[in-house]
Amino acid sequence: MEWFLFLLSTIFVQGILGYHVEREYAWRNVTFEGVNPSSYNVLNSIPTGFAYDAETQKLFVAVPRRYPQVPHTLTEIERKKHPERSPPLSKFSGKSSKDLISIYQPVIDECRRLWVVDVGMVDYKEGQPKYRKQNPAIIAFDLTKENYPEVDRYELPAEVVKNPLSFGCFAVDVINPKGGCSDTFLYITNYEENTIVVYDKKNKASWKVSHDSFKPEKDVNIVLDGGKKYSYKVGIFGITLGDREATGNRMAYYLAGSSTKLYKVSTGALKKKGARFDPIRIGDRGPYTEAITLVYDPKTKVIFFAESITRQVSCWNTQTPLDSNHTDVIYSDARFLFGTDISVDSNSTLWVMANGHPPVDDPDIVNNEFYKPQIRLLYVDTRKSIRRTRCDVNGNKP
């Protein structure tokens, strides 16, 4: 084990792979446009998720209120106006019917609606007087209209979620985009309760699904530069949707944050409350490949993983068996510490974020020069990313 960690750390320091990957943005600490820097603590503003609208070339970035003095929890960046590498974040320009409390991830669907899950509370006790606790809410904004009006809001009932602070990632399922956008489902993971919360937009209903495959397997242990260590243990976290079938169903691929195994289940079992839930274990990605986020690319039929321990982005082509012989690495760098979000935009560009802050109570545990800058946002064309890898089953193989 010690030999493996030594070898791994040697590779990290060198910085390898990622021939086609470009770094779009990198921050040591984020700042906010139009906000006096003395009014907030830059160390406490830690982005965790993002969504990219290819049509307007605008990024939407979530900054949850895990710590005090976070001015805006949902922000945006206009790439045309900010060619610099570390631009300030601007307040989200959409119109919400209520103040946004704390958001971890935004998602853009095929109808160009921006979805967020507002957990309705801050992570620190002393913040309650300023940010009064609300019911967790699912909210959608229409990016096709001026000022991005709120077009959907649903408050999740207590019987569906006990601790909204343990929400992980979520996926949006538009059943028939060509036939309208009203028939839509959301699948939200909860890594502490080991559940998937399902939201039926059309019928304004929600329920939760539980299964043993949602549970964590073991602690994830990570050794940082200088010998610092931390560990965490979380259940189901990442979820992504495969190709749409004629029935309107899709395969939902999911994984626990503390597991190397990948599962899939038809969304038909999720969209109907009380339906039989019988997932398939696809395979095991191998030692040290734990990840909390993944995304499916319909153009290449590849799933990409932002891994937690290895500081790399890996791939697996869904047309092949899932094992160590059919997975590969498309990017690896010592500075890519703790991947938190990954997505594919409407132009088949892969975007991935690492925020340099693993899920520990002390935000300064990795606050040293080795990881500067620690918040990174990268992008690459999905086809270019897998060129000459095991994931490129229809092109040039290694």
Side-chain angles (χ1 to χ4, degrees), residues 30-36 40 44-47 61-65 69-76 89-92 100-103 131:
V30 299
T31 58
F32 296 86
E33 192 167 25
V35 181
N36 189 333
Y40 62 91
N44 290 351
S45 299
I46 306 169
V61 181
V63 188
R65 290 189 167 101
Q69 295 180 303
V70 174
H72 308 304
T73 187
L74 185 60
T75 67
E76 59 186 50
L89 305 182
S90 301
K91 182 180 180 181
F92 175 59
L100 300 175
I101 304 300
S102 189
I103 292 168
Y131 302 103

Side-chain angles (χ1 to χ4, degrees), residues 20 34 50 54 101 113 132 178-179 190 213 221 229 231 240-241 256 265 293 299 301 336 348 370 397:
H20 309 292
F50 69 93
I101 304 300
R113 292 173 297 189
R132 185 172 297 177
K178 295 181 180 180
N190 190 308
S213 61
N221 300 300
K229 302 178 182 179
S231 64
T240 189
L241 304 179
V265 68
T293 182
K299 179 178 286 187
K301 312 301 180 187
F336 188 79
S348 297
F370 179 75
K397 298 182 180 180

Side-chain angles (χ1 to χ4, degrees), residues 143-157:
L143 299 182
T144 68
K145 297 180 180 178
E146 189 177 356
N147 297 323
Y148 308 149
E150 180 183 301
V151 291
D152 192 68
R153 176 180 285 268
Y154 176 81
E155 295 187 359
L156 291 162

Side-chain angles (χ1 to χ4, degrees), residues 294-308:
L294 74 168
V295 67
Y296 174 78
D297 172 43
K299 179 178 286 187
T300 60
K301 312 301 180 187
V302 167
I303 292 179
F304 298 92
F305 307 82
E307 298 183 0
S308 304

Side-chain angles (χ1 to χ4, degrees), residues 163-174:
N163 182 15
L165 291 178
S166 58
F167 278 142
C169 301
F170 70 94
V172 182
D173 186 9
V174 183

Side-chain angles (χ1 to χ4, degrees), residues 89-160:
L89 305 182
S90 301
K91 182 180 180 181
F92 175 59
S93 57
K95 304 300 180 184
S96 176
S97 61
K98 291 184 179 180
D99 289 338
L100 300 175
I101 304 300
S102 189
I103 292 168
Y104 280 79
Q105 181 192 26
V107 173
I108 297 174
D109 70 9
E110 294 159 291
C111 299
R112 288 191 64 217
R113 292 173 297 189
L114 179 71
W115 293 87
V116 297
V117 178
D118 189 344
V119 299
M121 59 190 297
V122 297
D123 290 51
Y124 55 99
K125 294 181 180 179
E126 60 269 27
Q128 295 303 328
K130 183 176 182 180
Y131 302 103
R132 185 172 297 177
K133 186 177 179 180
Q134 302 176 5
N135 291 331
I138 297 169
I139 311 163
F141 302 93
D142 190 346
L143 299 182
T144 68
K145 297 180 180 178
E146 189 177 356
N147 297 323
Y148 308 149
E150 180 183 301
V151 291
D152 192 68
R153 176 180 285 268
Y154 176 81
E155 295 187 359
L156 291 162
E159 62 267 22
V160 169

Side-chain angles (χ1 to χ4, degrees), residues 68 84 105 109 119 189 201 285 297 375 389 394:
E84 67 269 31
Q105 181 192 26
D109 70 9
V119 299
T189 65
K201 177 188 181 303
R285 297 172 52 241
D297 172 43
I375 302 166
T389 71
N394 299 315

